[in-house]
Amino acid sequence: MASPPDAVAVNAAHLTSIMIKPFAGAEGLSSLLKDRRFNAVVIGPGCGVGNATQALVVSVLTSGAAAVLDADALTSFAGDPGLFFDMLSPSAVLTPHEESSIVCSRAC
């Protein structure tokens, strides 16, 4: 599991049988995803809505890894859905909720 540094302790305390890889920001996530063993990413739940999450999603979608995009990952593109849709590939799965419907109405 990849985790922002400020969430590593919380994740480690709750995920006793999972190894955690810390990363710092979008550049750190991109660097981590260069290791092709990390070939699938779930991003969105608990990330927060905003530019930082948008940058993480861009890192994921440009990495070539399969992606499940949920919650905050979708909502972070409400102001620029075109950017989001231009990056999507067949290996991306969207799991919208009612709150995310503004972003997903074009694709869902």
Side-chain angles (χ1 to χ4, degrees):
M1 175 175 191
S3 177
D6 58 343
V8 168
V10 172
N11 287 323
H14 295 289
L15 303 169
T16 58
S17 63
I18 295 177
M19 294 189 304
I20 297 176
K21 289 267 195 193
F23 69 91
E27 287 182 23
L29 183 56
S30 291
S31 179
L32 189 65
L33 292 174
K34 287 179 183 176
D35 183 338
R36 293 297 172 198
R37 294 175 296 172
F38 305 125
N39 58 13
V41 179
V42 175
I43 187 167
C47 281
V49 175
N51 292 335
T53 298
Q54 193 176 53
L56 292 174
V57 173
V58 170
S59 292
V60 170
L61 292 177
T62 58
S63 73
V68 176
L69 304 160
D70 186 41
D72 296 344
L74 301 174
T75 305
S76 291
F77 286 88
D80 193 359
L83 172 65
F84 177 77
F85 291 114
D86 288 345
M87 291 185 297
L88 287 179
S89 70
S91 64
V93 175
L94 308 182
T95 59
H97 303 277
E98 242 177 78
E99 310 84 57
S100 304
S101 62
I102 293 172
V103 175
C104 291
S105 63
R106 183 172 141 192
C108 303

